[in-house]
């Protein structure tokens, strides 16, 4: 993802912004920050599974399932940062970290995710190019209008269905990971497949060894459902309800990233809960910037956008959901 940091001619707005950011030293790696964060996340993960074994055959395990789901989300954020090469300087080190955080710890292929996510960053909210807006939901009236059958029905009620469908996002991530490892020309396919298999076998074997079938199924449903919900609630505020660009629409890099993204206010709690993705504008402008530097570069970006007359969207968490759902509902009307 670091290639996006150098986009733009020397005299472009983005190049001018990048010179300010580089001079402020905000692209420098923060390895110690990530070592501490990974150590905390791993400690909580191991403690969660130890509690799972100690509690044993009990419906209280549904609480454990919820805690582990939140912990899985933090590992997804770590895998995300590794995929953007925010943690280490070398591609190899970041990929190895991503394999552990993604494939082994939560069962999501870092190779599949990085490839998919790179396309999103290159063409955010762009019809026909951004995979994040070509899925089960319609983000433009034109796409909603051509929906047929079940898809048209989903488009019509997508605002109401959005949060319930997020409960299936965890299963979707696992399924897409397995499909990619089996079919894509993927780097380190053997490691990708082996670590995904290790996660699946370890997860299912441990749950089956501790819980009877009924409680085991309930644990998995709650754990994976909440994992998907937490992930979806993190990504929902970022782009939904922002500008949607037509396929091939010409717009410079700075405006493409800023106009299609939304920041979420909230302080340290939101920073942790959203893995730093609440600074979505800054993240899209500087994908390889370490997570803790995003809040530091934010004032600089706000000033620069004001100087250039570029709208900068920032709102609270609940208002971001409100804007996203209103947009989905408005788009859904075109399917009627």
């Amino acid at each position: 993802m670091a290639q996006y940091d150098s986009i733009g001619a020397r005299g472009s707005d983005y190049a001018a912004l990048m010179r300010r950011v580089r001079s402020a030293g905000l692209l420098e790696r923060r390895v110690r920050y990530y070592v501490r964060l990974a150590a905390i996340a791993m400690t909580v993960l191991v403690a969660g599974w130890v509690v799972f074994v100690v509690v044993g055959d009990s419906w209280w395990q549904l609480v454990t399932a919820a805690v582990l789901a939140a912990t899985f989300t933090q590992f997804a954020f770590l895998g995300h940062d590794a995929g953007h090469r925010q943690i280490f300087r070398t591609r190899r080190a970041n990929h190895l970290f991503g394999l552990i955080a993604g494939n082994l710890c939560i069962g999501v292929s870092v190779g599949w995710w990085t490839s998919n996510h790179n396309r999103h960053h290159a063409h955010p909210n762009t019809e026909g190019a951004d995979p994040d807006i070509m899925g089960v939901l319609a983000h433009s009236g034109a796409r909603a209008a051509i929906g047929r059958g079940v898809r048209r029905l989903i488009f019509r009620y997508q605002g109401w269905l959005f949060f319930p469908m997020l409960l299936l996002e965890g299963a979707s991530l696992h399924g897409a990971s397995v499909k990619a490892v089996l079919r894509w020309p993927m780097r380190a396919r053997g490691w990708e497949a082996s670590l995904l298999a290790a996660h699946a076998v370890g997860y299912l074997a441990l749950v089956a060894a501790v819980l009877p079938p009924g409680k085991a199924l309930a644990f998995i449903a709650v754990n994976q459902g909440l994992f998907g919900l937490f992930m979806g609630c993190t990504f929902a505020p970022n782009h939904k309800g922002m500008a949607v660009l037509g396929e091939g629409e010409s717009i410079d890099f700075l405006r493409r990233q800023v106009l299609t993204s939304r920041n979420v206010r909230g302080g340290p709690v939101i920073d942790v809960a959203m893995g730093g993705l609440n600074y979505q504008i800054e993240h899209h402008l500087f994908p390889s910037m370490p997570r803790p530097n995003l809040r530091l570069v934010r004032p600089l970006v706000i000033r620069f956008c004001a100087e250039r007359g570029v709208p900068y969207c920032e709102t609270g968490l609940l208002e971001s959901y409100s804007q996203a759902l209103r947009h989905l509902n408005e788009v859904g009307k075109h399917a009627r």
Side-chain angles (χ1 to χ4, degrees):
M1 296 301 299
Q3 65 267 30
Y4 295 126
D5 289 348
S6 59
I7 290 177
R10 183 172 180 79
S12 71
D13 285 341
Y14 182 70
L17 175 60
M18 176 58 74
R19 286 193 290 272
R20 297 187 190 183
V21 171
R22 288 191 186 281
S23 66
L26 293 173
L27 292 175
E28 295 299 320
R29 296 295 183 268
R30 299 282 297 274
V31 177
R32 290 182 181 178
Y33 167 87
Y34 280 106
V35 168
R36 290 195 301 269
L37 193 62
I40 293 170
M42 186 61 72
T43 299
V44 175
L45 181 66
V46 172
W49 284 117
V50 169
V51 169
F52 175 79
V53 172
V54 170
V55 171
D57 184 0
S58 168
W59 286 108
W60 283 105
Q61 293 287 25
L62 299 185
V63 177
T64 310
V67 173
L68 285 171
T71 308
F72 288 175
T73 305
Q74 293 299 317
F75 275 94
F77 296 150
L78 288 169
H80 166 272
D81 293 1
H84 281 296
R85 305 182 199 174
Q86 295 177 9
I87 303 175
F88 303 105
R89 293 189 180 279
T90 67
R91 178 180 179 181
R92 182 186 180 92
N94 281 298
H95 187 67
L96 177 59
F97 188 96
L99 285 172
I100 296 171
N103 294 57
L104 181 60
C105 290
I106 62 175
V108 176
S109 164
V110 69
W112 161 76
W113 178 87
T114 300
S115 176
N116 201 62
H117 199 60
N118 282 357
R119 292 164 57 203
H120 160 70
H121 267 264
H123 305 283
N125 269 24
T126 303
E127 291 283 7
D130 182 358
D132 286 3
I133 67 169
M134 295 189 295
V136 70
L137 302 178
H139 293 259
S140 69
R143 183 161 187 261
I146 63 174
R148 294 292 180 269
V150 175
R151 175 161 290 187
R152 186 179 185 89
L153 187 64
I154 292 174
F155 289 168
R156 184 180 301 176
Y157 300 107
Q158 61 183 7
W160 297 97
L161 294 173
F162 177 68
F163 284 110
M165 286 193 300
L166 290 181
L167 295 171
L168 302 175
E169 180 65 16
S172 175
L173 292 172
H174 297 313
S177 296
V178 172
K179 186 182 297 184
V181 167
L182 292 176
R183 299 180 181 178
W184 287 17
M186 185 176 291
R187 176 173 176 254
R189 183 196 301 272
W191 280 108
E192 291 265 0
S194 298
L195 292 175
L196 280 182
H199 170 83
V201 170
Y203 178 94
L204 295 174
L206 184 57
V207 172
V210 172
L211 297 176
K215 288 176 182 171
L217 290 175
F219 175 90
I220 293 171
V222 170
N223 178 244
Q224 294 300 313
L226 289 181
F227 171 51
L229 181 65
F230 293 159
M231 289 292 293
C233 286
T234 297
F235 289 102
N238 298 344
H239 300 284
K240 290 176 177 60
M242 300 304 295
V244 176
L245 307 177
E247 189 171 1
E249 185 172 343
S250 179
I251 183 173
D252 70 278
F253 183 78
L254 175 78
R255 287 161 181 81
R256 178 180 294 275
Q257 304 301 332
V258 175
L259 298 179
T260 60
S261 303
R262 177 195 293 111
N263 275 18
V264 176
R265 294 188 296 267
V269 173
I270 293 295
D271 288 1
V272 172
M274 298 187 69
L277 297 178
N278 46 312
Y279 303 106
Q280 190 67 194
I281 294 172
E282 289 73 24
H283 172 57
H284 262 258
L285 288 171
F286 315 106
S288 64
M289 180 176 287
R291 189 194 309 180
N293 288 354
L294 294 174
R295 66 178 181 85
L296 301 178
V297 79
R298 172 180 162 274
L300 192 156
V301 173
I302 291 175
R303 288 195 300 271
F304 189 87
C305 286
E307 292 170 8
R308 296 302 196 274
V310 179
Y312 181 102
C313 182
E314 185 174 67
T315 185
L317 182 63
L318 295 182
E319 177 59 24
S320 72
Y321 291 140
S322 177
Q323 291 179 14
L325 293 178
R326 285 200 302 269
H327 172 73
L328 292 176
N329 277 324
E330 285 299 315
V331 169
K333 292 178 181 178
H334 292 266
R336 298 174 187 173

